[in-house]
Structures are given as structure tokens and as C-alpha cells.
Amino acid sequence: MDMDGDWPLPRPTTLFKFNRRPAGSSLSQANSVASTFSSLATPVVAEAVQRARDLATKSDAEGFHQLRVAFRKLRALYWAYSPYLGEEATAHATEEFKRLAALAGGTRDWDIAGDLLQAAQESGASIELLVAAAREKRAQAVVHSQTMIKSDAVEAFLNDVLLRAQTTLQSSCNDLPIRAFARKRVRLAQRALQKRSRRAVRSDAACEEDLHDVRKAGKKLRYLLEFFQPVIKGGHDRTIRELTSVQNKLGLFNDIAASENLIRSASFNEVPPQVVQESLQWLEKQKFRRMRAASRRVRNIAG
């Protein structure tokens, strides 16, 4: 299946209703593995559909960001249920979630880079031309995202993969209780985070890739705890808060690293190379400062 192509599906007849009640808030221990998936996925899918519709007429940074978050949550959920969904079906769905998240993220990435360049300019860097060029890149990213993310196609795709998943789960685990399953998947996510954290702090200076892996593992665990908290024993509010705090530190570092890579890979025909270089030097200094702060928080996880 070509995951980058259009999904040849009809307009969905089942419309998702978007509400802001957290996914998982209505779960109980009486739910089965199969029924729980539907309860968790449906509100996230509904939000993604609504966000995609909004992007046709809006270009605010938060809308793009929340759409990307919705697709990330769906990737985490499909990972959790992959033992019953099957490797192939999970891979097909999650690759498309990843592609759509990247399309939504293009605008968000230039928003972040633009804010950082503005901060560099305010600190004395002579990069006015690059700041203006970044605003233009952001405008181009909006057009690209709006062109590539068609709400009807997103809705049809999500409606289809959700129906396929529900059908598969009802035939394979409709009578299995949720608690043991949820606890097992959360434990696996916890172990993955611990393993990546230990690898990241094995040397005195953690590398960017290792910190990025910790960030991704932390997101997955946090999303799973938010999904499954109503049905697993023990309060996890503190763990979620701690993970969110660590994610914030890692996010600040990631913003710098991603913006540096974005600017290095972009072409700025109207901006002198020395202006671009000055911005990269400023970003690099900020990156190392934020990397140290992020590494300290990761060491706490690893310990």
C-alpha cells in the first residue's frame, strides 16, 4: 500500500463528534481490551478531524501543533494495541499518522525557528533579513500544509483505520479484561524510557539523537498513562507531571536543535551567508546550554 498516496475511500458516513473530554475518562475495569480501544481512539480521531477542518481557513500555530499531537497520540495507542492489531496493520496506520504529523509540523517548526531568530535579533545579532525570510518560509509552509492535508481525506482515512482496528480487536480480544493488558503495555513503555535514558547519560555529554529518543519514549509513556490511568492501579498523576516537566526541558532543547537543522537545510536566496552563519552560531550556543539542562533531567530518570 502506498501510504503517501491518496486513500481511495468514500466520504465517511459516520461523523466523529469533537468534544474536549479526555480520552479514557469514561473507562472502567469492566471494559474489554477491544471496547477500550474504541473509547480511547474515538475522541482523538474526532479532534484530529476537527483540527484538519479548521486548517482550511486558519493558520494559527496552536492548531497545527494540536493536530500533530493528535496524530502522535494515535501512534502511541496503535503501538499499545499492536499485539492484537498485527504488525502490518499497525505499521500501515502509524506510518500515515507520522506523515500527516510531519505535514502539520512544517508550519509549527517555522514558528519555533522564527521565535528563536527573533530572540537572537533582540540579543544583538544582526539577522533582520533572516528573520523576515523565516516569516516567508512560514507562510509557504502554511500553504503546503493546507494543500496536502485535506480534511475529507483525513476523515476518510481515520474512519477506515478505526473501523478496521475495531473489527480486528473484536474478533481477537473482545472478552479479555483491560487492566492486565494496560499495565503490561505501560511497563514496556517505562522500560523503554529507562533504557534510552541510561543510554543517553552513559557518557558525560549526551548526543542529540539519544536525547531525542528519550523525548519520544517519554511522550509515549505519558500518553499511555493518560489513556489507561482510570483502569490501572495506583495514582499516576505525579508521574505524568514529572514526565511533562522532563518533556518541557527536552522540548526546549529539541526546539533549538530542530531549528538549527531547519535553517541549515533551507535556502535563503536573499540572505547573505554571513547573516545565516551568525544565526547558526547563536543557536549553537543556546543548544549546548539547553542540552546540559536536558541532560540533568534525563539523569534523574535514568537513576
Side-chain angles (χ1 to χ4, degrees):
M1 184 179 295
D2 179 9
M3 298 305 297
D4 290 332
D6 292 331
W7 285 68
L9 299 171
R11 180 85 165 90
T13 55
T14 302
L15 299 180
F16 298 106
K17 183 178 180 180
F18 178 42
N19 64 69
R20 298 195 177 276
R21 186 175 62 181
S25 59
S26 62
L27 298 188
S28 72
Q29 298 174 33
N31 290 116
S32 69
V33 173
S35 65
T36 300
F37 175 84
S38 177
S39 299
L40 293 174
T42 298
V44 184
V45 166
E47 179 172 6
V49 169
Q50 186 62 54
R51 297 287 185 188
R53 286 178 186 156
D54 291 343
L55 292 188
T57 56
K58 301 177 183 177
S59 62
D60 61 291
E62 187 63 17
F64 283 103
H65 174 61
Q66 291 302 327
L67 179 58
R68 181 162 61 174
V69 168
F71 288 126
R72 286 173 174 170
K73 288 182 177 180
L74 287 172
R75 286 178 64 191
L77 193 61
Y78 267 69
W79 175 86
Y81 284 84
S82 60
Y84 295 111
L85 291 174
E87 184 177 342
E88 184 178 358
T90 301
H92 283 170
T94 55
E95 281 302 308
E96 183 68 357
F97 296 151
K98 186 176 181 179
R99 187 185 75 87
L100 290 167
L103 287 172
T107 297
R108 175 65 173 166
D109 290 343
W110 278 111
D111 279 319
I112 294 170
D115 289 343
L116 288 168
L117 291 174
Q118 187 68 46
Q121 184 180 6
E122 291 172 358
S123 70
S126 303
I127 57 172
E128 292 87 353
L129 289 175
L130 186 58
V131 172
R135 285 196 292 267
E136 178 59 29
K137 292 288 187 183
R138 197 266 185 192
Q140 294 170 5
V142 169
V143 173
H144 179 68
S145 296
Q146 290 176 333
T147 301
M148 298 299 294
I149 300 176
K150 298 296 186 183
S151 61
D152 286 355
V154 169
E155 185 173 0
F157 159 67
L158 292 176
N159 193 35
D160 180 71
V161 294
L162 182 58
L163 179 60
R164 290 172 189 260
Q166 289 173 335
T167 301
T168 299
L169 294 172
Q170 286 167 2
S171 66
S172 61
C173 56
N174 197 41
D175 297 326
L176 296 179
I178 183 60
R179 173 179 279 183
F181 170 78
R183 293 180 68 182
K184 181 178 180 180
R185 300 309 283 172
V186 166
R187 281 197 301 269
L188 284 175
Q190 288 173 326
R191 290 171 188 166
L193 174 60
Q194 191 112 37
K195 181 179 178 180
R196 293 184 181 187
S197 299
R198 288 172 177 168
R199 184 174 61 197
V201 301
R202 201 167 289 162
S203 60
D204 291 336
C207 72
E208 292 182 30
E209 184 176 351
D210 287 340
L211 289 175
H212 185 55
D213 286 343
V214 173
R215 182 168 174 263
K216 289 190 295 183
K219 281 179 180 290
K220 179 188 289 184
L221 175 57
R222 179 163 62 88
Y223 293 151
L224 293 187
L225 286 173
E226 290 171 348
F227 280 136
F228 292 130
Q229 186 171 4
V231 296
I232 56 180
K233 286 183 177 179
H236 293 278
D237 288 336
R238 180 178 176 181
T239 302
I240 292 172
R241 288 195 300 270
E242 290 175 349
L243 284 170
T244 301
S245 177
V246 173
Q247 288 297 307
N248 289 339
K249 285 291 184 183
L250 288 168
L252 291 173
F253 163 70
N254 185 73
D255 288 349
I256 289 279
S259 296
E260 181 185 22
N261 292 333
L262 191 64
I263 292 169
R264 286 188 188 278
S265 63
S267 58
F268 300 98
N269 297 328
E270 304 299 324
V271 181
Q274 61 269 26
V275 174
V276 177
Q277 189 59 36
E278 184 175 359
S279 74
L280 292 173
Q281 290 172 351
W282 185 88
L283 287 169
E284 190 169 0
K285 290 179 182 178
Q286 299 299 313
K287 182 176 72 174
F288 285 119
R289 180 175 63 83
R290 292 188 179 184
M291 180 184 285
R292 287 194 297 270
S295 296
R296 286 194 294 270
R297 296 306 301 270
V298 172
R299 286 183 186 280
N300 292 336
I301 298 176

